[in-house]
């Protein structure tokens, strides 16, 4: 988490850094800071709060600067702990975790150095000062050799008034070169724009940015050439475009996300052929990506694929499951940077498994380890709560399993249109949100594919309403949770699978009998007038395996409207960040 930015060039560094920080705000937003170098000294601006609370700094002079938007790991949310950290000649912004910072800090303290923050990152500025003997690159090499853990850093030194030094290991870092100036940032969306050539830095590499150009160096300090990454400016679009929040904009974009993803898969289908020779498939991911993996596992089983299981990446990486050369691991991640998912993928590679990465971010850490990459084409997802990326993940996973199982059936072209109709049919959940916003706890129930969606619905609910919620297999209620159900615990029931609809309906009656207000999402007209339910949303009908793509939409909207009704910012839920690059 955290986002780092750097700029050196002919324009205003304060404006360029601020703009970059706005693009990276989804990575963390508890405090923010910018260091500008001007007239032989640093001007340091740090504030607790979101990036906007530093917007006045844009008026400051300076043609070189670095910035940081923070998601606290070591040290509380205070101005002192906000980056950049300055020590004597050096200012540093850091994304990652320095695991051996205590030992390093101890050494600095023994030398009599004073620290002004509780962070692991400040030690990097101290090490630079200690290791510096007039040559910035050599100092960086010596410093990086001493760091354990993960880092993407941008460093300013008062002796080099137009230079930014960057280094990276296990945290993402991109560099952009243009006539107007040079940029560095944690992700492509903050550097990509017209006229900017972008490069992805790899582990162990260094870059030196000055006003006119960028140079890259390997771990041993020798100059290297790098190939620019290709990107589509349209996919980097982060404009709000008249919407009140990114989350609602991104829900409205689901039909295009699904349509683009299905189309792109057709061009990538050949890649799947090389992955077929396996006995088992493991799908790994975190949060929403895990939930898309669970729905896809059910889909794979329906298609009669080889044994397919879905795992939480954070459990999988430490688990004892069989992973070998006969295993295909599918790592699903919107960002491609989630630490647990990347670690699970690396572990699987080490054990000889084939690795397929499914990501929404083309040049991410996960893609660099993969044997094969399939892209979701959801476009930039800014809201922390994942919405359109879930639907796009389903589109690519389903397409993959159809191709893998040589199923004649292909993912249905009509799905984007059905998504659009579902969005329209689901607007009425705004009223549900008003009724449910004072709930003690909300339960989401369903069976099979509906259960997979119930889990995702409850995650969305908790994440942005800050109210308790649980996604349950409808058949499990009476094995425990029913004890908690009463008038203050609304239940959202998903009934989209004809084969088990009656069974879920039994569970609905059981909770109505305990006084729970019940809200039904169904695609089956005969369940649309469910007696005793508060209200029903009737969504379009398609095969049950495709229903998660649709039935998740009313639940995404429900969480959104409830969060807004509660006065929460649905785009930036407290304590969370979009890219979870720490374990
Ligand atoms: C929930 C949400 C998170 C992410 C999870 C994995 O709305 O957004 O649960 O799904 O942090 O992130 P990625 O997909 O980037 O690996």
């Amino acid at each position: 988490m955290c986002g780092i930015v750097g700029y050196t060039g002919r324009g205003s560094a304060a404006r360029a850094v601020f703009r970059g920080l706005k693009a990276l705000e989804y990575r963390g937003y508890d405090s923010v800071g910018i260091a500008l170098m001007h007239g032989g000294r640093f001007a340091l601006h740090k504030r607790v709060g979101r990036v906007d609370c530093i917007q006045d700094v844009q008026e400051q002079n300076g043609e070189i600067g670095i910035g940081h938007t923070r998601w606290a790991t070591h040290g509380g949310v205070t101005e002192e702990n906000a980056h950049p950290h300055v020590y004597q000649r050096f200012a540093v912004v850091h994304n990652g975790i320095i695991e051996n910072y205590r030992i390093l800090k101890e050494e600095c303290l023994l030398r009599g150095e004073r620290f002004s923050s509780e962070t692991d990152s400040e030690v990097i500025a101290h090490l630079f000062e200690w290791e510096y003997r007039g040559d910035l690159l050599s100092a960086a090499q010596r410093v990086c050799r001493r760091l354990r853990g993960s880092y993407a850093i941008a460093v300013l030194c008062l002796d080099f008034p137009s230079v930014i030094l960057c280094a990276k290991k296990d945290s993402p870092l991109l560099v952009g070169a243009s006539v107007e100036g040079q940029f560095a940032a944690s992700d492509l969306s903050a550097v990509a724009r017209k006229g900017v050539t972008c490069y992805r830095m790899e582990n162990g590499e260094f870059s030196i940015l000055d006003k006119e150009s960028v140079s890259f160096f390997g771990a041993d300090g020798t100059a290297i050439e790098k190939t620019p990454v290709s990107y589509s400016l349209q996919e980097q679009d982060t404009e709000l475009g008249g919407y009140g929040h990114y989350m609602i904009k991104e829900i409205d974009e689901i039909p295009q996300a699904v349509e683009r993803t299905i189309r792109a898969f057709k061009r990538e289908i050949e890649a799947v052929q090389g992955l077929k020779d396996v006995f088992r498939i493991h799908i790994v991911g975190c949060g929403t990506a895990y939930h898309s993996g669970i729905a896809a596992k059910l889909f794979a089983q329906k298609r009669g694929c080889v044994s397919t299981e879905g795992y939480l990446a954070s459990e999988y990486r430490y688990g004892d499951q069989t992973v070998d050369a006969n295993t295909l691991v599918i790592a699903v991640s919107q960002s491609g940077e989630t630490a647990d998912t990347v670690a699970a993928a690396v572990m699987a590679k080490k054990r000889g498994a084939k690795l397929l990465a499914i990501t929404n971010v083309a040049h991410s850490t996960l893609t660099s380890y993969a044997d094969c990459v399939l892209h979701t084409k959801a476009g930039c997802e800014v809201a922390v709560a994942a919405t359109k990326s879930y639907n796009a993940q389903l589109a690519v996973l389903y397409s993959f399993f159809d191709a893998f199982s040589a199923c004649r059936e292909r993912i249905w072209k009509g799905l984007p249109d059905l998504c659009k109709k579902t969005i329209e049919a689901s607007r009425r959940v705004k009223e549900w949100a008003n009724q449910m916003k004072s709930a003690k706890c909300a339960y989401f129930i369903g069976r099979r594919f509906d259960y997979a969606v119930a889990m995702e619905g409850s995650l969305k609910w908790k994440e942005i309403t800050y109210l308790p919620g649980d996604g349950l297999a409808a058949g499990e209620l009476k094995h425990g949770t029913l004890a908690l159900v009463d008038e203050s615990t609304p239940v959202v029931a998903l009934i989209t699978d004809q084969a088990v609809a009656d069974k879920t309906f039994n569970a609905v009656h059981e909770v109505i009998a305990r006084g729970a207000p019940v809200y039904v999402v169904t695609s089956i007209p005969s369940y649309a007038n469910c007696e005793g339910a508060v209200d029903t949303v009737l969504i379009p009908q398609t095969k049950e395996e495709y229903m998660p793509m649709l039935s998740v939409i009313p639940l995404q909207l429900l969480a959104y409207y409830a969060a807004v009704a509660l006065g929460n910012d649905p785009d930036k839920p407290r304590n969370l960040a979009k890219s979870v690059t720490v374990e």
Side-chain angles (χ1 to χ4, degrees), residues 244-295:
H245 298 103
Y246 281 104
M247 186 172 173
I248 188 73
K249 173 179 182 257
E250 289 163 3
I251 293 172
D252 272 351
E253 287 170 350
I254 287 173
Q256 299 93 290
V258 170
E259 205 260 323
R260 279 198 304 262
T261 303
I262 295 173
R263 209 162 358 106
F265 182 81
K266 288 195 187 126
R267 294 193 295 270
E268 294 173 326
I269 197 162
E270 282 310 308
V272 174
Q273 305 310 322
L275 301 173
K276 280 189 165 178
D277 192 16
V278 291
F279 295 168
R280 67 186 75 80
I281 298 177
H282 294 166
I283 312 174
V284 297
C286 299
T288 294
Y290 166 69
H291 292 153
S292 70
I294 293 299

Side-chain angles (χ1 to χ4, degrees), residues 285-290 332-338 341 381 383-387 389 393 456 459-460 463 576-580:
C286 299
T288 294
Y290 166 69
V332 186
S333 172
Q334 188 283 132
S335 61
E337 301 296 345
T338 300
T341 310
E381 192 176 65
V384 166
T387 53
S389 64
Q393 282 163 1
E456 174 58 8
L459 177 64
K460 287 290 94 88
E463 188 177 9
L576 302 179
K578 192 152 185 74
S579 194
V580 187

Side-chain angles (χ1 to χ4, degrees), residues 58-355:
Q58 287 184 90
E59 305 312 319
Q60 303 283 319
N61 289 331
E63 293 177 341
I64 177 166
I66 52 176
H68 187 271
T69 177
R70 182 169 188 245
W71 184 85
T73 56
H74 292 69
V77 180
T78 62
E79 266 182 26
E80 292 73 29
N81 290 337
H83 300 214
H85 293 293
V86 173
Y87 184 69
Q88 298 191 4
R89 259 171 297 201
F90 289 91
V92 174
V93 285
H94 166 228
N95 169 34
I97 290 189
I98 303 305
E99 287 166 2
N100 60 337
Y101 85 97
R102 281 177 207 282
I103 301 169
L104 297 172
K105 188 168 176 175
E106 206 50 48
E107 267 179 41
C108 300
L109 290 170
L110 284 173
R111 290 198 290 265
E113 297 172 14
R114 293 171 73 120
F115 280 72
S116 45
S117 79
E118 304 154 318
T119 65
D120 54 329
S121 310
E122 189 184 349
V123 78
I124 303 171
H126 286 248
L127 280 185
F128 263 94
E129 185 61 40
W130 177 250
E131 296 289 357
Y132 177 66
R133 280 149 225 161
D135 178 48
L136 202 49
L137 180 61
S138 316
Q141 284 176 279
R142 285 190 289 274
V143 169
C144 289
R145 256 181 245 131
R146 303 221 51 208
L147 302 178
R148 299 280 164 270
S150 58
Y151 54 83
I153 53 173
V155 182
L156 299 180
C157 174
L158 288 177
D159 288 357
F160 299 90
S162 64
V163 167
I164 301 175
L165 178 131
C166 296
K168 95 134 218 161
K169 180 182 163 269
D170 293 341
S171 290
L173 190 55
L174 284 109
V175 167
S178 78
V179 177
E180 185 258 330
Q182 325 310 323
F183 306 82
S186 301
D187 100 18
L188 193 59
S189 65
V191 283
R193 68 195 68 159
K194 206 157 175 264
V196 178
T197 309
C198 295
Y199 302 87
R200 184 186 158 83
M201 287 184 61
E202 302 301 335
N203 282 347
E205 290 179 355
F206 300 94
S207 60
I208 290 188
L209 288 60
D210 66 28
K211 276 191 171 41
E212 310 300 332
S213 62
V214 180
S215 318
F216 294 99
F217 303 89
D220 61 0
T222 49
I224 53 171
E225 292 289 324
K226 285 187 72 71
T227 313
V229 297
S230 59
Y231 63 90
S232 131
L233 273 178
Q234 194 197 349
E235 281 173 24
Q236 303 307 318
D237 173 34
T238 54
E239 296 299 314
L240 206 42
Y243 282 89
H245 298 103
Y246 281 104
M247 186 172 173
I248 188 73
K249 173 179 182 257
E250 289 163 3
I251 293 172
D252 272 351
E253 287 170 350
I254 287 173
Q256 299 93 290
V258 170
E259 205 260 323
R260 279 198 304 262
T261 303
I262 295 173
R263 209 162 358 106
F265 182 81
K266 288 195 187 126
R267 294 193 295 270
E268 294 173 326
I269 197 162
E270 282 310 308
V272 174
Q273 305 310 322
L275 301 173
K276 280 189 165 178
D277 192 16
V278 291
F279 295 168
R280 67 186 75 80
I281 298 177
H282 294 166
I283 312 174
V284 297
C286 299
T288 294
Y290 166 69
H291 292 153
S292 70
I294 293 299
K297 167 190 90 167
L298 298 174
F299 186 89
Q301 289 169 353
K302 202 160 180 72
R303 290 287 185 262
C305 284
V306 293
S307 158
T308 302
E309 288 302 331
Y311 292 93
L312 286 166
S314 54
E315 290 290 309
Y316 187 79
R317 62 183 291 192
Y318 298 116
D320 297 320
Q321 58 284 324
T322 304
V323 185
D324 58 19
N326 295 314
T327 312
L328 169 64
V329 172
I330 306 179
V332 186
S333 172
Q334 188 283 132
S335 61
E337 301 296 345
T338 300
D340 283 319
T341 310
V342 172
V346 170
M347 176 276 272
K349 282 287 288 180
K350 275 195 190 134
R351 297 201 201 160
K354 293 191 175 78
L355 177 64

